[in-house]
Amino acid sequence: MSYDLDSAVKKVPNFPKEGILFYDITGILMNPEAFSYVIEKMVELYKDKNFSSVACVESRGFIFGAPLAKELGLPIVLVRKAGKLPGDLYNRSYKLEYGEAVIEVQKSDINKGDKVLLVDDLLATGGTLQAAAHMFHEAGADVTDIFSVIGLPFLNFKEKFKGIEVTTLIDYHNEKIN
Ligand SMILES: O=P(O)(O)OC[C@H]1O[C@H](OP(=O)(O)OP(=O)(O)O)[C@H](O)[C@@H]1O
Ligand SMILES: Nc1ncnc2[nH]cnc12
C-alpha cells in the first residue's frame, strides 16, 4: 500500500507560537486510509525486531504507538507529561521547539535489558524523545529504534540519537511561513 502522506498533513502557520509552522496530524487521523498506511508501514518496519515493549509519548505518540503494539503483541509503555502517572517514576525535563516540559515513566514498566522502540508523531529538536530515551537508559534498557511519522531534520534531531536507528515516514525542510 502506498499513500501521499503530505496531502494529509495540515500546515498551520504561527501555531502554537508566532514563527512556528505546525504540522498537524489530525488530517491523518481523519482519513482512515492515511492512518492505516502509517500503521501498516510501522508493522512492516518492526515486525521482526523482537522488541520487549513499545514506548509512546503523550499525547500524539499514543495514537501511533498503541495500534502498533497491539499488532505486534507487545506491552505499551506510556511516557507521560509530569503529574499524570502514579507510583515510582523516572522523570526528566527537556526543551522542545516551542517550550519546556517534564516527562515521566513508571519504573515498573522498564526492565533491565529490555529492547525498546520509542514512538512519537513528530521529531523536531528531538528533545522529547532524547529525554524519554534517557529514562530507559537510566533503567538499564536499550532503546534501539525510534519511530516518528514526521521529521523536521533542519532542527538536527539526528545528532541526539547516535547509535539509535531513527525512522520517519515524511520529512519537511525548513519551509518559510507565508
Ligand atoms: O522533537 P521535539 O522538539 O521534542 O518536539 C516534538 C514533540 O512535540 C510535540 O508534542 P507536544 O509536547 O506538543 O505534546 P502533544 O503530543 O501532547 O501535543 C510532538 O508530539 C512531540 O512529542
Ligand atoms: N512544528 C511542529 N509541528 C507539530 N508538532 C510539533 N512539535 C514540535 N514542533 C512541532
Side-chain angles (χ1 to χ4, degrees):
M1 183 188 185
S2 86
Y3 195 90
D4 174 20
L5 261 192
D6 177 50
S7 66
V9 177
K10 293 185 248 175
K11 290 88 181 170
V12 186
N14 302 314
F15 182 87
K17 284 187 178 161
E18 195 68 26
I20 299 286
L21 180 58
F22 188 81
Y23 295 93
D24 181 7
I25 53 136
T26 59
I28 298 176
L29 306 181
M30 285 299 291
N31 182 333
E33 251 186 82
F35 186 67
S36 295
Y37 168 76
V38 172
I39 304 303
E40 280 170 25
K41 273 275 170 203
M42 294 170 81
V43 171
E44 205 177 293
L45 280 163
Y46 299 121
K47 63 181 179 344
D48 298 322
K49 293 205 79 167
N50 295 315
F51 294 115
S52 314
S53 59
V54 175
C56 37
V57 181
E58 183 172 3
S59 61
R60 288 175 266 158
F62 292 175
I63 299 167
F64 299 98
L68 173 71
K70 195 263 176 193
E71 285 297 315
L72 300 186
L74 291 173
I76 302 167
V77 179
L78 298 186
V79 178
R80 298 209 63 182
K81 304 280 162 62
K84 303 282 188 180
L85 286 170
D88 266 354
L89 307 171
Y90 294 102
N91 65 68
R92 187 91 186 157
S93 63
Y94 62 100
K95 287 197 174 76
L96 71 168
E97 199 186 359
Y98 43 70
E100 269 190 354
V102 177
I103 48 172
E104 298 179 330
V105 66
Q106 286 179 326
K107 288 189 175 173
S108 58
D109 283 358
I110 314 175
N111 299 303
K112 207 167 175 199
D114 276 356
K115 179 179 171 184
V116 179
L117 167 67
L118 282 183
V119 173
D120 209 342
D121 69 315
L122 185 139
L123 264 166
T125 65
T128 306
L129 288 184
Q130 185 183 40
H134 188 277
M135 296 189 291
F136 284 86
H137 293 149
E138 196 182 336
D142 190 13
V143 175
T144 59
D145 294 73
I146 283 176
F147 175 86
S148 173
V149 182
I150 299 171
L152 308 183
F154 61 91
L155 293 172
N156 301 320
F157 60 79
K158 282 231 160 117
E159 287 170 7
K160 294 194 165 81
F161 304 119
K162 301 230 160 77
I164 301 180
E165 194 160 332
V166 180
T167 304
T168 52
L169 293 186
I170 184 165
D171 286 340
Y172 289 101
H173 301 275
N174 205 3
E175 289 174 77
K176 295 231 173 347
I177 292 183
N178 304 320

